[in-house]
Amino acid sequence: MAVTIEIDHARTRAKAAAATGQPVVPQAVKGPIRRLKWAILLLTLSINYVTPFLRWDRGANAPDQAVLLDFANGRLYAFFIELWPQDLYLVTGLLVLASTILILTNALGGRLWCGFACPQTVWTDLFLLVERLIEGDRRQRLKNIGTPLTAKRVIEIAAKHAAWLLISVATGGTLIFYFTDAPDLLRGFASGEISATVLTWILVFTGTTYGLAGFAREQVCTFMCPWPRLQGAIWDPEAYTVNYRDYRGEQRTSAKKAAELRLQGKPAGDCVDCGQCVAVCPIGIDIREGPNFACINCGLCVDACDGVMAKLGRPRGLIDYESWKNIERGRRAEPAVNRLVRPKTIGLTAACVALAGVITVAFGARTTASLSVQHDRDPVAVRLSNGSVRNAYTVKLLNKSASPHRYTLSVGGVTAKMAIVGNDALAPIEVAPDASESLRVTLTAPEHVQGDVVFTAREESGAAVLTARDKFVER
């Protein structure tokens, strides 16, 4: 049986809400999934706010902040990892690996990232918690919509937005800490010595947090984020996503009416149409209408439905993490089948392992220094009055380490005399820490010499030997 991911009722709900000016107001819920979400929220917020203050000793002349995006010097530090602009291929590999892991997660459990660890979800949950603590739960907040302002309501609204702004400022300030030394910038905040650039970026990050988590909320997950738009292409009916067991819940009727029907030997569904699954949904969708591209798989409707079933003395799992294939099997009264391990997930897992292996090997093969050679193009060769041929090159030595290094340059492959413009060819070349040194090098060879020339830079300590290859041309 073919199935399509429903989007129409999400659009209808969004249009209806916009027409009435009523936002999605989710209700608080208790249960194991909600407790897991609180734990993940606490963990992710702790990582975000604490990480900039962690220290990592990299030796002299290197920053000791564990995670630092040092754009001014072209560095990215993450504990023992140090990346230069030349290491962009590693960053690209990490992004590809992260995307592959996300697709694997989607094949196993749908939009789990969106529902549990996405920054939009985490900060929206935090803002909703503040809103509930100040204005009350869903019923009270809905009652407040459209009512005349009173002194109490003005105080509540002011307190809520003040708390939101404090969280947003803390978030914006913390994000800036990732781009400069956090303790130094914190001392700058305390003394009032903040540059206009830093203040501007804090305001940008503060406004973004305040707007997206305080007002946009479900609109980000439904319309602004590209991930739900991909669901039509990568949605997997074998993935364990949040689904409604309609074969058990239909036909919907009240608990009293269901009891009467069962006494008469007539079928009655377990769903009492209480609407709790819709009330707690942060997106405002009804999962009973089928798979929906806007569902972030947070599972709060599972907690809400299980709570209702417990009060009615009925089995849990009317709404549950279940594959769509098993929903179809249930309709045919067939047993559920767990197919988390299947060719698709095996292939994606193998791809993740392979990518991780390639990135690890590439990272381990990196050097802290490099040698590059560029041949002069105009002219490529000069014939001297004595008949010999001269080629000129620009040789660049790059030192990525935090200490200075001295190299001796030599050439091989052709019989030619090397000269370094402005330097003694035999003298060591010193390259400062985190710096590069460009040299103008000429090679002069007798007539009829042509072939590959190999430049070799040997470190004085013998720890590194760098090579680069180019051509020596006669004309």
Side-chain angles (χ1 to χ4, degrees):
M1 174 183 175
V3 62
T4 56
I5 300 179
E6 180 62 49
I7 63 173
D8 290 338
H9 76 271
R11 290 176 175 171
T12 303
R13 195 179 306 280
K15 289 178 181 178
T20 60
Q22 179 178 318
V24 175
V25 183
Q27 181 176 304
V29 63
K30 295 180 180 179
I33 297 175
R34 178 66 268 185
R35 289 193 293 272
L36 176 61
K37 281 176 63 66
W38 285 134
I40 293 175
L41 180 145
L42 182 61
L43 175 64
T44 50
L45 289 178
S46 299
I47 292 173
N48 177 70
Y49 290 119
V50 172
T51 298
F53 296 94
L54 299 179
R55 302 291 100 182
W56 190 269
D57 185 11
R58 297 185 179 89
N61 303 318
D64 65 349
Q65 186 163 312
V67 178
L68 178 65
L69 305 177
D70 188 2
F71 287 161
N73 296 307
R75 303 291 186 280
L76 189 157
Y77 299 98
F79 298 95
F80 64 92
I81 297 173
E82 178 181 344
L83 298 179
W84 279 54
Q86 292 85 352
D87 300 323
L88 181 62
Y89 66 96
L90 290 175
V91 178
T92 304
L94 288 172
L95 293 174
V96 173
L97 175 60
S99 300
T100 307
I101 292 173
L102 197 59
I103 295 172
L104 173 60
T105 303
N106 192 83
L108 294 172
R111 295 177 65 185
L112 291 178
W113 162 261
C114 300
F116 289 86
C118 175
Q120 175 65 21
T121 297
V122 170
W123 264 269
T124 296
D125 267 358
L126 182 60
F127 274 46
L128 282 171
L129 175 63
V130 170
E131 191 172 49
R132 290 190 189 108
L133 291 175
I134 295 174
E135 294 187 341
D137 203 359
R138 182 173 189 267
R139 181 178 298 179
Q140 183 59 48
R141 299 205 310 279
L142 287 175
K143 188 185 298 184
N144 291 337
I145 295 175
T147 59
L149 287 178
T150 62
K152 179 183 177 182
R153 282 290 298 137
V154 170
I155 293 173
E156 287 178 345
I157 293 172
K160 177 183 73 174
H161 286 279
W164 284 359
L165 283 170
L166 284 175
I167 295 171
S168 300
V169 170
T171 303
T174 302
L175 288 175
I176 289 296
F177 289 158
Y178 284 92
F179 297 89
T180 185
D181 187 74
D184 286 348
L185 187 56
L186 195 61
R187 285 190 286 270
F189 286 148
S191 62
E193 298 176 358
I194 309 173
S195 69
T197 302
V198 170
L199 185 59
T200 299
W201 280 110
I202 290 175
L203 291 175
V204 169
F205 289 141
T206 297
T208 302
T209 305
Y210 181 68
L212 295 182
F215 301 95
R217 293 183 179 175
E218 75 282 349
Q219 303 300 321
V220 174
C221 301
T222 306
F223 302 110
M224 296 172 65
C225 178
W227 189 242
R229 302 294 171 180
L230 297 174
Q231 293 302 298
I234 64 175
W235 180 79
D236 195 324
E238 295 284 6
Y240 275 67
T241 56
V242 174
N243 279 304
Y244 167 63
R245 291 188 169 103
D246 51 4
Y247 57 87
R248 174 185 151 188
E250 303 295 327
Q251 292 287 331
R252 306 173 197 173
T253 184
S254 66
K256 182 178 179 181
K257 183 66 175 177
E260 293 176 355
L261 291 173
R262 286 166 181 163
L263 286 175
Q264 298 171 15
K266 298 179 180 179
D270 280 347
C271 180
V272 294
D273 209 13
C274 62
Q276 286 299 296
C277 54
V278 180
V280 302
C281 179
I283 307 298
I285 63 174
D286 189 344
I287 197 62
R288 295 172 299 176
E289 296 180 6
N292 188 293
F293 88 118
C295 177
I296 60 174
N297 227 34
C298 65
L300 295 180
C301 55
V302 177
D303 278 345
C305 188
D306 285 351
V308 174
M309 292 296 105
K311 292 177 182 178
L312 296 175
R314 298 175 184 176
R316 67 160 302 279
L318 180 59
I319 298 176
D320 206 355
Y321 285 96
E322 181 64 284
S323 71
W324 185 254
K325 285 289 188 182
N326 279 339
I327 297 295
E328 293 179 327
R329 292 183 184 105
R331 291 170 179 171
R332 299 190 297 266
E334 296 175 359
V337 178
N338 182 350
R339 293 201 67 235
L340 290 178
V341 180
R342 55 190 187 277
K344 180 177 182 178
T345 56
I346 293 173
L348 286 169
T349 302
C352 290
V353 173
L355 281 169
V358 170
I359 293 170
T360 302
V361 170
F363 180 78
R366 290 189 322 155
T367 61
T368 57
S370 66
L371 173 68
S372 62
V373 177
Q374 183 176 1
H375 197 293
D376 275 9
R377 298 303 177 196
D378 188 19
V380 293
V382 176
R383 187 170 296 278
L384 304 181
S385 58
N386 60 3
S388 60
V389 178
R390 175 177 293 169
N391 284 200
Y393 307 84
T394 299
V395 177
K396 185 175 182 180
L397 280 163
L398 177 64
N399 178 16
K400 300 180 183 179
S401 68
S403 57
H405 289 278
R406 292 162 64 89
Y407 298 92
T408 301
L409 188 65
S410 62
V411 295
V414 297
T415 303
K417 182 181 179 181
M418 183 185 73
I420 301 176
V421 178
N423 289 282
D424 184 351
L426 300 178
I429 303 160
E430 183 166 335
V431 186
D434 288 341
S436 63
E437 190 74 27
S438 292
L439 307 169
R440 180 75 171 167
V441 177
T442 62
L443 296 181
T444 305
E447 190 177 2
H448 305 307
V449 173
Q450 189 163 324
D452 289 344
V453 56
V454 179
F455 291 81
T456 302
R458 299 179 184 274
E459 191 180 357
E460 279 193 337
S461 64
V465 177
L466 309 174
T467 61
R469 186 179 295 271
D470 209 306
K471 291 283 187 180
F472 187 93
V473 294
E474 187 178 356
R475 55 186 174 84

